[in-house]
Amino acid sequence: MIRVTLLSLAAILAMLVLAGCGLKESDLIGSYEGKYEAGEEVEGNVALKSILSGASQVINVTLDLKEENKFVMKLSGLPIEGDWRLEDGAVYLHAKEAVGGNLESITNGLLAGMATGVKTEMRFVVIEDGAQLIAEAEGGERGGHTFHRVGD
């Protein structure tokens, strides 16, 4: 009886490990449509929630994860390009170019002083084996931009 239980537990543990290791970068290559979904930070603020909801209907956001770990994100047609990687169940986007210019020179030159909150790396938690990518802040709060896979 104990032997059967231990074998069952070992089999379950092996399945969990294999399931967790199954996601590869090649599984995520494809196109995604973005949508702003308000998180906890705006839950009590009806006005801000309404503004953000309206903005998400006006601003079309798409994301293409490409081979060789390149990505193109478009905000109403304006491109942001860079590299991406899969690490610990999350996709990290490292933006390098925006609207045809080097992002570092844009943030250090034209936007210097205004762009204190500009981040060149974004983290998205992978949900449902890549069907969704949900933005996650440094503190672990989830919400904001969510990308849904299209065309599978």
Side-chain angles (χ1 to χ4, degrees), residues 136-148:
E136 183 175 78
E138 290 177 15
E141 301 88 26
R142 291 186 185 175
H145 281 94
T146 300
F147 287 97
H148 301 272

Side-chain angles (χ1 to χ4, degrees), residues 2-142:
I2 293 175
R3 182 180 219 173
V4 172
T5 303
L6 288 175
L7 287 174
S8 297
L9 287 174
I12 291 170
L13 181 60
M15 288 188 323
L16 290 173
V17 168
L18 290 174
C21 296
L23 191 63
K24 303 179 298 276
E25 288 178 341
S26 60
D27 297 330
L28 299 172
I29 292 171
S31 297
Y32 297 79
E33 289 183 353
K35 181 178 180 186
Y36 186 86
E37 296 175 0
E40 296 173 5
E41 73 280 2
V42 297
E43 206 53 45
N45 191 332
V46 176
L48 183 56
K49 193 172 186 178
S50 177
I51 290 168
L52 293 172
S53 176
S56 71
Q57 293 174 10
V58 174
I59 299 172
N60 181 29
V61 182
T62 61
L63 173 65
D64 287 314
L65 297 180
K66 300 177 178 258
E67 293 181 7
E68 299 180 14
N69 295 84
K70 301 292 181 192
F71 80 88
V72 176
M73 181 187 298
K74 291 186 179 177
L75 305 169
S76 291
L78 300 174
I80 298 172
E81 300 180 34
D83 300 321
W84 70 277
R85 71 183 188 282
L86 174 64
E87 183 179 303
D88 297 327
V91 169
Y92 290 83
L93 303 179
H94 181 78
K96 293 188 171 186
E97 291 188 15
V99 194
N102 179 291
L103 195 58
E104 186 175 322
S105 64
I106 291 171
T107 57
N108 291 336
L110 178 64
L111 300 177
M114 287 182 358
T116 56
V118 171
K119 297 202 183 305
T120 59
E121 186 161 271
M122 300 164 272
R123 174 183 161 94
F124 293 87
V125 176
V126 178
I127 306 293
E128 300 171 12
D129 291 333
Q132 291 185 51
L133 306 174
I134 300 176
E136 183 175 78
E138 290 177 15
E141 301 88 26
R142 291 186 185 175

